[in-house]
Amino acid sequence: QLEESGGGLAQTGDSLRLSCATSERTFSSYSMGWFRQAPGKEREFVGYISWSGTPTSYAASVKGRFTISRDNDKNTVYLQMNNLNPEDTGVYYCAAKYFRPSLSSSDYDYWGQGTQVTVSS
């Protein structure tokens, strides 16, 4: 099971850090992805981090503002979001995929319940 936390309300330009934790002892074998879904829109890729920590990949809309990291000792992956804007509003999901990462949500095996991020202007 994956559990996200850290969502909430923010203003344009603010920062938030999301966490995704699991009790799964094989966490270090899984690549982790972050996805988001805005109201009325399809779920979209935000970024991923490989099981080893590298490489990472980001959607163009967040590149340079968002950073994904992981702590395998704590079985946790993080999404640091800086310089937020209203277009970042949505429910953010973390997902796990064994071994190689992927840009496609359909490739991920396990999903968290999501955490809401709302950015006001």
Side-chain angles (χ1 to χ4, degrees), residues 4 13 20-21 26 31 33 42 50 53 56 60 73 79 81 91 94 111 118:
E4 302 98 336
C20 173
T26 59
S31 292
E42 296 283 320
S50 175
T56 55
D73 290 335
L79 176 64
M81 306 186 294
V91 178
C94 68
W111 289 82
T118 303

Side-chain angles (χ1 to χ4, degrees), residues 35-37 42-44 46 61-62 66 87-88 91-92:
F35 296 81
R36 67 187 181 187
Q37 187 166 19
E42 296 283 320
R43 188 174 298 185
E44 66 174 359
V46 174
S61 59
V62 307
F66 290 12
E87 288 69 41
D88 297 316
V91 178
Y92 282 70

Side-chain angles (χ1 to χ4, degrees), residues 84-102:
L84 287 162
N85 60 64
E87 288 69 41
D88 297 316
T89 295
V91 178
Y92 282 70
Y93 300 89
C94 68
K97 178 185 179 299
Y98 181 71
F99 198 38
R100 290 189 179 90
S102 172

Side-chain angles (χ1 to χ4, degrees), residues 24-58:
E24 176 57 54
R25 286 180 287 180
T26 59
F27 172 77
S28 60
S29 299
Y30 284 81
S31 292
M32 301 298 295
W34 284 96
F35 296 81
R36 67 187 181 187
Q37 187 166 19
K41 295 188 176 182
E42 296 283 320
R43 188 174 298 185
E44 66 174 359
F45 171 78
V46 174
Y48 69 59
I49 185 166
S50 175
W51 63 274
S52 64
T54 57
T56 55
S57 180
Y58 301 93

